[in-house]
Amino acid sequence: MATGIFCIGFTSRFTNFSQIPLYTADIALLIAWFSLFFSFIKTVFKGTFRRRYITHPVQSFAIGTWIAGTSILCLLFYKQFPEYKFVYITISLLSGGLWLFYLFICIQCYYVILKSKYFDKIHGVLFLSTVSTQSLVIVYGRLFNNHFFYELTKLLIFIGIILYIINFSFILKRYIFYTWNLSDHWLNTNCIIHGAISISGIAAISSGTINNTIIFYIWLLALTMFFLVEGIEISRMFSRLSKYSFQKAIGCYHVSQWARNFTFGTLYLFTINLELPQKHVEFYLLKTAIINIGLYILILLLVIEAFIFLMHVLNRSQIHQSITPILRGYIKPTTHDKSPL
């Protein structure tokens, strides 16, 4: 999902870029998509799907990653191979069916969280309900051009906003009324708090159902939340560095770290597609700065996360046994206690 957003943002910025690297990314993303698909199917046949993806009232929201990832993959492939539009339409409609099932699960999870007072376990993964909903708006706005889907996307945007308000109220309650510390209880997925606003703005632009003035204020809200949440993230980084070793603090891989690449990418894509109202042209310099600088930040984040992921894979493979003497000179082992991410 994060890599897909990066590719869409990159091709939007550089339309004349060579297609060869993009084709390579397409193949990699397709392999990743099929891997996830078959992992889901495997859990169904093993009878563990419900336990892993439905029973937990918070982790169940992670199913939204599959829906959003599928939508982004359809968008990316449609942009490069529009002749296979029927395939993308079919997949996006199936994804919409999964979304209905997912929405039912989300409603059940909200009820369980409220009834069981599960607020101390809540984090930003809840916002994947909004992300998945708005991802459907974007892909339907691109693939369909009729009155039915125009009205459908308006409804989906409204549902996505309602879900965001519910999720945000839950997050507020978690961090206002329950005990927590910055280094251990503020999780990577909390960056989706601002990413969900950005993708809502992209959905509003893609569907054509909301006027530019309202979209502009959504952009300002996304920027505000971006600086607020990422400011907390920077404070968290220093808090972890003072408590743990460098490797444990910020160098340890976790799959949730990709959420930051995704949320930064959605803000960048939102900014590229934003049309500033005439009375707000003073923000043109800010928009230009985000477009010019943002892509390099996305590349840097992608390289850093890819490096951390590669080191994680090497540490878990037999190859690590042969290169340990070399790496030992650069990465010192630590004896600190493990900490949650």
Side-chain angles (χ1 to χ4, degrees), residues 65-84:
T65 302
W66 170 257
I67 299 170
T70 301
S71 298
I72 292 169
L73 196 66
C74 286
L75 287 169
L76 183 61
F77 273 75
Y78 178 61
K79 189 170 185 177
Q80 297 181 64
F81 310 102
E83 61 270 21
Y84 301 108

Side-chain angles (χ1 to χ4, degrees), residues 1 13 24 28 54 97 107 120 125 171 177 195 228 252 254 308 334:
M1 189 165 68
R13 183 73 174 87
T24 304
I54 299 179
I107 294 172
D120 60 322
V125 72
I171 284 286
F177 296 104
L228 175 62
C252 186
H254 193 275
I308 295 174
T334 62

Side-chain angles (χ1 to χ4, degrees), residues 137 140-141 149-158 207 209:
V137 174
Y140 289 162
F149 278 94
Y150 176 80
E151 295 297 329
L152 178 61
T153 53
K154 282 202 298 186
L155 176 62
L156 288 174
I157 287 177
F158 176 76
S207 65
T209 58

Side-chain angles (χ1 to χ4, degrees), residues 268-300:
Y268 180 76
L269 199 58
F270 184 16
T271 305
I272 285 180
N273 290 279
L274 177 71
E275 291 186 14
L276 289 175
Q278 289 295 324
K279 61 179 179 180
H280 294 298
V281 291
E282 66 272 14
F283 288 93
Y284 177 78
L285 290 177
L286 177 59
K287 176 184 175 180
T288 303
I290 293 173
I291 293 174
N292 291 336
I293 300 172
L295 185 61
Y296 299 102
I297 295 176
L298 290 179
I299 293 173
L300 179 62

